[in-house]
Amino acid sequence: GAILADKLSVLPFVVLFMGLVTMVSLASLAYFAQTAQVRATQLALTNDTLTKEISERQRTEVALRDSYQFLQSTLDALSASIVILEETGTIAAVNAAWRRFVLAHDFSASAHGVGTNYLEFCHAVSARVGVDIQEFCTGLQAVMARQCPTFSWEYAYRGTPEASWFLLRVTRFDETEGG
């Protein structure tokens, strides 16, 4: 009987304990539900923000692509051969007249385009055209180093039966405000 009495005296505690666990569990569920709702709202706002940013980025990419195509069309419309260099001397852009010139003079197609170092190109073709290009390279480097704003150099190309004269002009782009 004593054992049964001990078990019965524990029983209300267990029931009471189970009741507390149930109440704690319900309170925890309510907390987690509220937290989940807050998180869902935050995720929805983040998703909306990301969707807007992606749309804006896509519009910016289209505008940039259109701007590049406009620039290239403008360069290609010019009759003068144009080569635009980065500060390191790497070719950043060329126009159609430059591509025609290079092909007409049978220069290697891979050695004159975007990504090529223009100074290396000049040195590679100098012996072929019969001209010491060092004076031009020195002038080009002076403009690139901001030692002078422009440089011009005239030379005779002896790669054809009759000499052709060329005038090379180097001009540094002015930096714009905020750019």
Side-chain angles (χ1 to χ4, degrees), residues 84-143:
I84 298 175
L85 305 180
E86 296 173 359
E87 289 192 18
T88 60
T90 301
I91 297 174
V94 298
N95 71 345
W98 170 255
R99 290 188 297 273
R100 285 190 301 271
F101 170 79
V102 169
L103 293 174
H105 292 89
D106 202 27
F107 296 131
S108 170
S110 64
H112 72 278
V114 173
T116 302
N117 186 289
Y118 185 72
L119 292 166
E120 291 174 10
F121 169 78
C122 290
H123 286 294
V125 300
S126 69
R128 183 167 171 207
V129 298
V131 175
D132 180 12
I133 204 86
Q134 189 54 48
E135 181 184 347
F136 170 72
C137 289
T138 300
L140 173 61
Q141 288 171 323
V143 173

Side-chain angles (χ1 to χ4, degrees), residues 2-32:
I3 295 176
L4 182 59
D6 286 340
K7 287 185 181 179
L8 290 176
S9 64
V10 174
L11 187 59
F13 176 73
V14 171
V15 171
L16 182 59
F17 180 70
M18 294 293 282
L20 287 175
V21 169
T22 304
M23 287 181 10
V24 170
S25 295
L26 291 177
S28 295
L29 287 175
Y31 170 77
F32 288 125

